Amino acid sequence: MRATVLVRPKQGILDPQGEAVESALGHLGFRVADARVGKVIDLEVDAADAAEAKAQVLRMCEQLLANPLMESYEVEIVG
Amino acid sequence: MRATVLVRPKQGILDPQGEAVESALGHLGFRVADARVGKVIDLEVDAADAAEAKAQVLRMCEQLLANPLMESYEVEIVG
């Protein structure tokens, strides 16, 4: 099954990459605020159904994909 | 308006970060394939409506957020 994981810096955590993006967009003439940069991870999981796939991917997030102190994550099973 | 941009390496483009994630997950005992890592960018856009916001963010993608040679992008206006 195909899964998509979104990993984002938590609110209140400094995000230098987001600040750089915001500043660069401002220099290009765009009016933006509060830019935050995270990761999107797409992967193929070996699972019998969507529920099992989601449970597996949540464990991957806890063990590797996200740093729970600084990042939040969201898992979507695409099918 | 709040926008979310997903920037992913195009098919056929080498993705060393995805390969590293896939290999590390394999070492942890997960059976995964075809892992790809991209970016998620959340930002607040100054626009009158969702259509104008989307047009602006698409221009940001072309000018800064994505490398059109190597990356594809998707824009969602959250509201």
Side-chain angles (χ1 to χ4, degrees), chain A residues 2 4 6-8 17 21 24-25 28 30-46 56 59-60 63-65, chain B residues 2 4 6-8 17 21 24-25 28 30-46 56 59-60 63-65:
Chain A
R2 197 83 198 144
T4 294
L6 297 179
V7 180
R8 295 177 161 111
Q17 214 184 338
V21 162
L25 286 172
L28 288 171
F30 293 106
R31 289 172 62 188
V32 298
D34 198 18
R36 309 281 285 170
V37 177
K39 283 178 294 186
V40 53
I41 302 146
D42 297 296
L43 38 78
E44 187 70 33
V45 189
D46 189 18
Q56 274 193 41
R59 272 188 290 126
M60 294 177 203
Q63 291 183 36
L64 182 85
L65 300 178
Chain B
R2 196 83 199 146
T4 294
L6 297 178
V7 180
R8 296 177 160 111
Q17 213 184 340
V21 163
L25 287 172
L28 289 172
F30 294 106
R31 291 171 62 188
V32 299
D34 198 20
R36 309 281 283 170
V37 177
K39 281 175 294 183
V40 53
I41 302 144
D42 298 295
L43 38 77
E44 186 69 35
V45 189
D46 188 21
Q56 273 194 40
R59 273 188 288 129
M60 293 176 203
Q63 292 182 36
L64 182 86
L65 300 179

